[in-house]
Structures are given as structure tokens and as C-alpha cells.
């Protein structure tokens, strides 16, 4: 009877080993799966032991033996996490070959790797994170009903939180007319922020504060005021960009927690928001979930997700917008009002943060008019999304847009270079100059964009805190492997749609470069300054999905194995980063 049932079962089920007579197939799959899991776990363990010597050297040089203890804890968590992720990604249950969904696995992977990154690259070490932190702090004051700024627009902090901006205690404070303490910049020194640059001393300082509290020379509770001015201005953008971080800071303030718990709680809330948004996007995607999973596993993405950066809001919203557009274009029969409302909401929240991503609204044009019912409904929906973005841009960025639009050559000045800069008026009258600098930038800077998109120059654009080049190349190949067509996989985009996606992504990249040309590049520069590879992450998933074609088709479907390899590489990169910082004395 068992043999007869097995003959009646489909060939696919027989290959998977689901019928009663396929015990050898089950065993073969089990051995294969455990081999991959153990190989990845063993590799991470080997490199953890290898870099242990570096950590010991740094700890010995500075007498900080606790560095080794915390390294072992982080290494143990990394190795255990890699093993668990291997079981979820490439392991199979013996009954029915059931595998976990990618959304559930990512929920664990994103939180695990994000938390590891959060502690290895501590608060305020990410790009421009101090400004994002101050912006989130301002919003937290509004959430708890406290005064957010003084009459000059400076963000107000608790006096006990001022030290993170003034590690050398070089600023002299005096009471202002409004009853808040202000730094006297005429006699104050340079601002030195915690974890910038990130070195062994940063770890030591954080460890000592957790152990013994803030040192007496850094305390400002003796100021006698309930608020003190921040030394850094907030970012001019929509406050919604800092809502997750602000919730964490507000909770810490309401519970009377110290500065370090406050810093970490704000970061943790931002990480949770990013992981939830990416999980929702992955769940909504009708295809290509592995590609989004892979982009979310890049070291740069992980680093940003566990920081105060508003890139978290930008990436989360545009990942979900991409997923909704592709779902409506290929899987759903009708576009519902709530779908249009969601698209409008996502553009309202994320659009003002970086107006350069406005072309991503073009993904909505992938949705056939028939899904709306008629042209009238399509036009109303398009107007709703477009006007939502336009109104948000007007209320948040109208002054910035106006200043760029009317700026003359005499008005443009790049402070960091102490030189005149480009203006839109100049570029309109000299288009050949625009073409030339774009061409030179692509030729000379493409490699740097690629490296910084994957994981080079982590921290505050610190070239020492990078991912090895061989890992960058491997991760890049992994993304291509996830993107290319697999056996039996259908093409979801026509040739014209792939071209349109390319145009949308090129439009975003072009606007990113144009914005930095106008805002950050002096006239003497031969390439555009200030562009970082991380700016390309919001549209990277849809660009990779457009690469699927009939010419390059893989012979197998290694997606889960590729994702497991990426998890192993992430764990290795984070462990190595800890050792690099430990030796940076």
C-alpha cells in the first residue's frame, strides 16, 4: 500500500521526500542541510576566534580586560544567531519538509543583526547622527508636553544629557535671559561628540559610565536650570521622520532614565520600526521577497537601521511603497481606496525627508488602468498621491526649494570649501558643464558609490570602519544571484516596464547627484562632492527586480542558501568591526 501511494504521488512530492517510502531522500536532504548550517556556523566561529587575538591585543595595551568579555558575549550571540538562521533558512523539518516564511526569518535576522550593530557601533557614531539625535530629542519634548526649543530655535536638553555633545567639557555655560543655560561660544572649545571618532576609548567611556555613572567633570546638573541648549541644530524636515526615535527618547525621559539608556532606547525604537516596515513590505511583495531580504541584510542597511538616522523612515516607507505598487500591478484584481490612501501616506511621510526620491512615485504607473475600474478613478488616485506629496513638500520644504530656485552665483557659497558653488541658474545656462561633471563623476566615483552602498566607511564616514573588499564583492554577487531568474520562475515585468523602472531609478540617482552638486560642490571641483552610496538603497530592491530576464537564468534556486551566506558575512563583518575598534588606541 505504501508503494502504491508513493507511485500516485506527484514527482515533486517524491523528490521532496514527503511520501512514506522516501526515507533515504529525507536523510539525504537532512545531511545536506546540516552540512550547510554547520559550515556557516563553523566559519563564523573560526573568524571569531581569529579576531579574539586582536581584541586581546587592544585590551592588553589599554588594560581594559572587560573588552575581551564583551567580545566573547557578542561572538557567542553571533555564532548562535547564525546557527538559528541557518536552521530557518536552509534547514527543513523532518515532517512534511515545512519551511519558515522569509518574513518570519527576516524579523529575527533584522533584529539580531541590528542589535549587534547597535552595540558594536554605539550611539552617535553613524553619519550625521548627532543632528538626527537632536531632532528626535526636540520631537520627544513635544510628545511629553515639555518646551522643545528656546526663543532662538535652539533645541533644549536635560542638563544631564549635555555631556554627549561636549566630551572634553570645554564649553562654558551661562544663564540666558529665558532661564536656560547656553554655551558661551566665544570662550568655548571644539565640540567633541561621543563615539566620534569611534575608537577603543569610546568603548571604555561607555563602559565606565554604565559602571560608575557620568564623571563629575562632565555633569551639568549643577547648572541650576531644568534645560540647557544643544550645541547642534536640528535637521529641517518633517518631524514624522523622527517619530520612532522620539518615542524611545520620550519613554526614557518619562521614566527618568540616564543619558546612555536614553540614547540606546531611541535607537532600538528606530530599529524596530525599520524591521517592522521591511517585514510588512516583504509580506506585501508578490514576488522577489528574497531581493528585499538581501538588500536589508547589507552592512550599510543594518548600520543605518540601528541608528538615529532618518534614512530608516525613508527606506522603510519606500520599501513598502515599492511592494504595494508591485502587488497592485501584478497580483491584485482591483485597486482599493485604502491602497491609494496608503500610497499617499507613504509619500507624505517620506517625500519631504528627501525630495530626490519623488520619481519613485512613477512606480504607480506600473499599475494597469483596468485595476482602477476606469480612467476617472485612475486620475483621481494619481492626483491624490501626487497632491499629497506636493502639499507635504510645500509645507515642509518650501523655503529650501525657493532658495535653490532663485539663488544666483553671488548667493551660492560652499562653506566647507570656502568657495563659490553651483546654482540651478548657472547649470541651466551652461548645460554642457552639467553633462561634463556628471560624466566625470560616474567614471571616477562609481566604485566609491558601490563600496559605500554595501558597507564601506561605516560610522561617521570613517574609512577605518569598513567591510573587507572581498566581502563587499561577495555580497554584491549575492544580490545578483537573488535577482536573476530561477527555474520555473515567471517574468513579472515586460521589457517596457523594465525600461520604465530603470528610468525611475536613474531619475532618483540623477536628482541625488544634482542636489549634492548644488548644495555641496564648489565650482573648482571636477566631480560632484558629498554623494554616498547609501542614498541609492531606497530604490535598490526594485532596480534588482528589474534585472530578471530570459537571457540569464540560474539552473537552481539557491535563494535561501544565498541569504544564509549573507547572514554569515554580516556576522563576520560585525565581529571584525569590534576587533578593529578595540585595536584603535
Amino acid at each position: 500500500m505504501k508503494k502504491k501511494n508513493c507511485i500516485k504521488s506527484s514527482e515533486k512530492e517524491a523528490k521532496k521526500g514527503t511520501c512514506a517510502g522516501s526515507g533515504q531522500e529525507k536523510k539525504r536532504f537532512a545531511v545536506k542541510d546540516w552540512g550547510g548550517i554547520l559550515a556557516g556556523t563553523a566559519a563564523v566561529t573560526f573568524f571569531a576566534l581569529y579576531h579574539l587575538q586582536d581584541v586581546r591585543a587592544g585590551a592588553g595595551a589599554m588594560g581594559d580586560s572587560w573588552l575581551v568579555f564583551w567580545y566573547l558575549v557578542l561572538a557567542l550571540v553571533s555564532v548562535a544567531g547564525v546557527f538559528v538562521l541557518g536552521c530557518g533558512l536552509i534547514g527543513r523539518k523532518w515532517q512534511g519538509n515545512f519551511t519558515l516564511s522569509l518574513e518570519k526569518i527576516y524579523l529575527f535576522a533584522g533584529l539580531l543583526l541590528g542589535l549587534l550593530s547597535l552595540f558594536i557601533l554605539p550611539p552617535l557614531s553613524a553619519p550625521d547622527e548627532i543632528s538626527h539625535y537632536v531632532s528626535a530629542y526636540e520631537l520627544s519634548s513635544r510628545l511629553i508636553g515639555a518646551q522643545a526649543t528656546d526663543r532662538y530655535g535652539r533645541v533644549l536638553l536635560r542638563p544631564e544629557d549635555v555631556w554627549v555633545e561636549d566630551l572634553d567639557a570645554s564649553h562654558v555655560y551661562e544663564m540666558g535671559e529665558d532661564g536656560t543655560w547656553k554655551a558661551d561660544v566665544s570662550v568655548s572649545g571644539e565640540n567633541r561628540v561621543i563615539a566620534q571618532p569611534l575608537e577603543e576609548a569610546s568603548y571604555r567611556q561607555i563602559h565606565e559610565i554604565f559602571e560608575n555613572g557620568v564623571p563629575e567633570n562632565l555633569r551639568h546638573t549643577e547648572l541650576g536650570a531644568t534645560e540647557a541648549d544643544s550645541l547642534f541644530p536640528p535637521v529641517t524636515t518633517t518631524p514624522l521622520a523622527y517619530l520612532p526615535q522620539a518615542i524611545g527618547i520620550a519613554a526614557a525621559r518619562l521614566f527618568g532614565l540616564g543619558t546612555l539608556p536614553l540614547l540606546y532606547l531611541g535607537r532600538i525604537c528606530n530599529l524596530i520600526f525599520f524591521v517592522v516596515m521591511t517585514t510588512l513590505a516583504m509580506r506585501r511583495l508578490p514576488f522577489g521577497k528574497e531581493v528585499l531580504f538581501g538588500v536589508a541584510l547589507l552592512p550599510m542597511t543594518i548600520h543605518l537601521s540601528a541608528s538615529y538616522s532618518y534614512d530608516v523612515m525613508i527606506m522603510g516607507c519606500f520599501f513598502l511603497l515599492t511592494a504595494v505598487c508591485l502587488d497592485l500591478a501584478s497580483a491584485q484584481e482591483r485597486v482599493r481606496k485604502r491602497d491609494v490612501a496608503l500610497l499617499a501616506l507613504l509619500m507624505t511621510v517620506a517625500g519631504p525627508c528627501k525630495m530626490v526620491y519623488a520619481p519613485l512615485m512613477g512606480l504607480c504607473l506600473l499599475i494597469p488602468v483596468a485595476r482602477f475600474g476606469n480612467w476617472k478613478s485612475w486620475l483621481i488616485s494619481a492626483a491624490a498621491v501626487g497632491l499629497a506629496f506636493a502639499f507635504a513638500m510645500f509645507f515642509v520644504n518650501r523655503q529650501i526649494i525657493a532658495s535653490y530656485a532663485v539663488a544666483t552665483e553671488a548667493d551660492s557659497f560652499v562653506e566647507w570649501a570656502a568657495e563659490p558653488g553651483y546654482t540651478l541658474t548657472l547649470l541651466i545656462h551652461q548645460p554642457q558643464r552639467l553633462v561634463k561633471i556628471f560624466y566625470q563623476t560616474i567614471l571616477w566615483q562609481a566604485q566609491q558609490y558601490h563600496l559605500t552602498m554595501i558597507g564601506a566607511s561605516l560610522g561617521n564616514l570613517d574609512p577605518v570602519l569598513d567591510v573587507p573588499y572581498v566581502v563587499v564583492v561577495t555580497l554584491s554577487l549575492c544580490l545578483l544571484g537573488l535577482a536573476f531568474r530561477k527555474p520555473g520562475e515567471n517574468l513579472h515585468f515586460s521589457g517596457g516596464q523594465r525600461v520604465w523602472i530603470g528610468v525611475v531609478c536613474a531619475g532618483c540617482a540623477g536628482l541625488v547627484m544634482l542636489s549634492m552638486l548644488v548644495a555641496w560642490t564648489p565650482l573648482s571641483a571636477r566631480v560632484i562632492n558629498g554623494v554616498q552610496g547609501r542614498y541609492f538603497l531606497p530604490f535598490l530592491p526594485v532596480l534588482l527586480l528589474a534585472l530578471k530576464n530570459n537571457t540569464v537564468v540560474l539552473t537552481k534556486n539557491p535563494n535561501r542558501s544565498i541569504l544564509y551566506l549573507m547572514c554569515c558575512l554580516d556576522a563576520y563583518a560585525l565581529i571584525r568591526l569590534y576587533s578593529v575598534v578595540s585595536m584603535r588606541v
Side-chain angles (χ1 to χ4, degrees), residues 191-211:
N191 300 345
R192 195 166 76 86
V193 179
I194 186 174
Q196 290 188 19
L198 181 56
E199 51 195 12
E200 195 273 345
S202 304
Y203 282 173
R204 187 190 321 120
Q205 187 172 48
I206 292 172
H207 175 77
E208 290 176 351
I209 291 175
F210 267 121
E211 289 282 327

Side-chain angles (χ1 to χ4, degrees), residues 161-174:
D161 297 333
V162 172
W163 65 268
V164 300
E165 304 178 355
D166 185 20
L167 282 185
D168 295 327
S170 59
H171 288 77
V172 177
Y173 287 83
E174 57 184 15

Side-chain angles (χ1 to χ4, degrees), residues 197-364:
L198 181 56
E199 51 195 12
E200 195 273 345
S202 304
Y203 282 173
R204 187 190 321 120
Q205 187 172 48
I206 292 172
H207 175 77
E208 290 176 351
I209 291 175
F210 267 121
E211 289 282 327
N212 308 313
V214 180
E216 190 67 31
N217 67 314
L218 294 181
R219 294 179 182 177
H220 293 283
T221 53
E222 74 282 358
L223 295 178
T226 56
E227 294 95 9
D229 284 353
S230 171
L231 302 173
F232 292 86
V235 179
T236 304
T237 188
T238 170
L240 294 176
Y242 298 105
L243 184 58
Q245 308 93 305
I247 290 174
I249 295 176
R253 294 172 66 180
L254 289 175
F255 285 104
L257 301 180
T259 305
L260 282 181
L262 178 147
L263 288 171
Y264 280 101
L265 191 55
R267 267 187 158 202
I268 290 172
C269 288
N270 212 25
L271 170 64
I272 293 173
F273 173 81
F274 177 79
V275 171
V276 170
M277 287 290 286
T278 305
T279 301
L280 292 175
M282 204 174 297
R283 182 175 298 174
R284 189 71 189 261
L285 269 176
F287 57 90
K289 299 176 188 290
E290 298 87 354
V291 172
L292 179 55
F293 198 146
V295 172
L297 284 179
L298 294 177
M300 181 59 75
T301 311
I302 294 171
H303 178 37
L304 293 173
S305 71
S307 73
Y308 275 93
S309 176
Y310 67 2
D311 287 346
V312 167
M313 181 66 72
I314 294 171
M315 289 190 295
C317 287
F318 284 119
F319 286 171
L320 184 55
L321 181 139
T322 299
V324 172
C325 288
L326 298 187
D327 183 42
L328 295 176
S330 62
Q332 301 298 326
E333 295 182 357
R334 297 282 295 181
V335 176
R336 300 163 295 184
K337 292 181 180 179
R338 60 185 178 184
D339 295 322
V340 177
L342 177 57
L343 292 173
L345 176 63
L346 292 173
M347 288 305 305
T348 300
V349 174
C353 295
K354 287 281 182 69
M355 63 185 82
V356 296
Y357 299 120
L360 283 174
M361 284 190 296
L363 296 178
C364 298

Side-chain angles (χ1 to χ4, degrees), residues 19-291:
C19 62
S22 55
Q24 292 182 349
E25 288 292 328
K26 283 186 180 181
K27 183 176 180 181
R28 183 173 69 84
F29 273 120
V31 170
K32 177 183 177 182
D33 297 340
W34 279 111
I37 295 169
L38 295 177
T41 306
V44 175
T45 303
F46 170 79
F47 286 109
L49 294 174
Y50 178 86
H51 287 291
L52 176 60
Q53 311 307 314
D54 300 330
V55 177
R56 282 178 173 172
M62 303 303 296
D64 295 331
S65 58
W66 49 266
L67 271 175
V68 177
F69 170 78
W70 285 112
Y71 174 81
L72 292 175
V73 171
L74 292 169
L76 181 62
V77 172
S78 300
V79 171
V82 164
F83 178 81
V84 173
L85 287 171
C87 293
L89 283 168
I90 63 177
R92 307 165 195 265
K93 290 188 176 182
W94 289 274
Q95 298 296 327
N97 286 338
F98 173 76
T99 54
L100 292 172
S101 66
L102 290 178
E103 298 94 311
K104 293 179 180 178
I105 298 172
Y106 170 72
L107 195 61
F108 175 77
L111 289 174
L112 171 68
L113 296 171
L115 288 172
L116 288 173
S117 175
L118 186 148
F119 288 104
I120 293 172
L121 299 169
L124 307 189
S125 64
D128 304 319
E129 192 171 7
I130 180 62
S131 297
H132 296 302
Y133 159 71
V134 171
S135 302
Y137 205 110
E138 178 186 6
L139 181 58
S140 75
S141 296
R142 303 186 189 281
L143 293 179
I144 63 176
Q147 184 178 354
T149 60
D150 66 7
R151 59 183 179 180
Y152 303 106
R154 302 185 185 95
V155 176
L156 296 176
L157 310 175
R158 298 183 305 182
E160 60 264 37
D161 297 333
V162 172
W163 65 268
V164 300
E165 304 178 355
D166 185 20
L167 282 185
D168 295 327
S170 59
H171 288 77
V172 177
Y173 287 83
E174 57 184 15
M175 180 69 75
E177 296 177 357
D178 56 356
T180 63
W181 281 93
K182 307 179 186 304
D184 185 354
V185 295
S186 63
V187 297
S188 298
E190 182 182 357
N191 300 345
R192 195 166 76 86
V193 179
I194 186 174
Q196 290 188 19
L198 181 56
E199 51 195 12
E200 195 273 345
S202 304
Y203 282 173
R204 187 190 321 120
Q205 187 172 48
I206 292 172
H207 175 77
E208 290 176 351
I209 291 175
F210 267 121
E211 289 282 327
N212 308 313
V214 180
E216 190 67 31
N217 67 314
L218 294 181
R219 294 179 182 177
H220 293 283
T221 53
E222 74 282 358
L223 295 178
T226 56
E227 294 95 9
D229 284 353
S230 171
L231 302 173
F232 292 86
V235 179
T236 304
T237 188
T238 170
L240 294 176
Y242 298 105
L243 184 58
Q245 308 93 305
I247 290 174
I249 295 176
R253 294 172 66 180
L254 289 175
F255 285 104
L257 301 180
T259 305
L260 282 181
L262 178 147
L263 288 171
Y264 280 101
L265 191 55
R267 267 187 158 202
I268 290 172
C269 288
N270 212 25
L271 170 64
I272 293 173
F273 173 81
F274 177 79
V275 171
V276 170
M277 287 290 286
T278 305
T279 301
L280 292 175
M282 204 174 297
R283 182 175 298 174
R284 189 71 189 261
L285 269 176
F287 57 90
K289 299 176 188 290
E290 298 87 354
V291 172

